Amino acid sequence: MPIPSRTAHASHLAAEIATQPDDWVRARVTANTHRDVLPRPGEHVAAIGCGTSLFMARAFAALREESGLGTTDAWPASRIRDRDYDRYLVICRSGTTTEVVEAMRRMPAATPRTVLCASPRTPVLDLGDPVLIDEVDERSVVSTRFATTALAILRHHLGQDLTAAIDQARTVLAEDPRRSLAAVRHAEQITFVGMGFAAALADESALKLRESCRSWTEAYPATEYRHGPIGISAPGRAVWGLGPLDARFAADVAATGAHLEHRDIDPMAELVRVHRLCVLRAADLGLDPDHPRNLSRSVMLDR
């Protein structure tokens, strides 16, 4: 029996999406408070996570290297490498994910490790220097504000000014999504693209729609779109760009008949638009976005 349709305001997901601009403002204070345990200029850093947290780790790695602050790798917790790192940065909402806990226990004891987590009294907090942000913990299985606030903390720490991103996110949340997202609301398929840290947020965008409303989504670096992924584009489908795109990109998408969704705003604010589409499409399909099929808040494996 299908789950009754829920309005955007009835889901925890919708409520958690709406707090993000204010969460990102507070993230600056958090970054300043914990600056001594966050990656320092010149350190060789490994950022790790699983799922959404991995995409935030990848986004941070791209931004840190682009800023010239030091070599930064991003690994799934299950595939972490030993490369004489100066610091590990761990992102884990639940604090109980099996692969993350096991990875932290394998890390060299002498190497500092910092943990961004939303859940107090969880194992990861005892395995590193904790940055607990339980004010952005979530009741929805689908993570939104924890992930973007973790990234906002790290962006503030890198010295980035998020004023524009915060204002843009507020603008997004003030819009009627039925109008602002009309062109992608019923798209049969969506391919997300981006460059730099936006490539990781493109992956995250695709994951959000798969999780919340079982949508057919893909994600690629924008420069890879022409090397195969363009073959899936067609009328009734969409390509969604996050961040700056090549001047010829729009023409390439137009030639396929697909719709190009793109705004010239910060990719993190654009991700909020994707979050709102998740709620909208879940309601259209009569799905509960707080409890997606086959998913749980934390992956805890029976070893």
Side-chain angles (χ1 to χ4, degrees), residues 6 17-18 21 23 29-30 45 60 65 76 78 106 123 129 199 229 249 262 267 301:
R6 297 157 61 100
I17 288 167
D23 298 331
V29 175
T30 305
V45 174
F60 168 68
E65 290 203 345
S78 59
R106 293 195 305 269
D129 294 314
F249 193 87
H262 182 243
L301 305 176

Side-chain angles (χ1 to χ4, degrees), residues 14-171:
E16 289 156 3
I17 288 167
T19 70
Q20 290 178 102
D22 290 340
D23 298 331
W24 302 351
V25 171
R26 289 192 299 270
R28 182 174 184 176
V29 175
T30 305
N32 290 336
T33 300
H34 296 279
R35 61 181 177 273
D36 290 341
V37 298
L38 291 170
R40 300 171 184 176
E43 287 184 332
H44 185 193
V45 174
I48 74 166
C50 295
T52 288
S53 293
L54 172 61
F55 296 143
M56 298 305 107
R58 283 179 43 206
F60 168 68
L63 288 167
R64 187 170 186 265
E65 290 203 345
E66 288 170 5
S67 298
L69 293 173
T71 302
T72 314
D73 296 325
W75 299 109
S78 59
R79 293 291 182 266
I80 192 168
R81 304 292 194 271
D82 183 4
R83 294 185 172 174
D84 295 324
Y85 292 111
D86 298 312
R87 183 179 302 272
Y88 293 95
L89 175 72
V90 179
I91 305 174
C92 182
R93 175 180 67 167
S94 70
T96 57
T97 302
T98 299
E99 293 102 322
V100 173
V101 173
E102 291 181 348
M104 293 188 74
R105 287 174 175 161
R106 293 195 305 269
M107 292 173 184
T111 305
R113 74 284 301 268
T114 302
V115 187
L116 282 161
C117 180
S119 304
R121 299 178 297 280
T122 51
V124 299
L125 297 175
D126 296 326
L127 297 171
D129 294 314
V131 180
L132 178 63
I133 48 173
D134 52 350
E135 69 276 9
V136 294
D137 201 358
E138 297 151 330
R139 296 181 67 181
S140 177
V141 167
V142 177
S143 181
T144 53
R145 68 181 182 186
F146 165 73
T148 61
T149 302
L151 182 57
I153 290 168
L154 296 169
R155 291 181 70 179
H156 282 302
H157 180 66
L158 294 176
Q160 297 194 349
D161 183 354
L162 299 189
T163 302
I166 291 164
D167 290 344
Q168 291 161 359
R170 288 192 170 122
T171 298

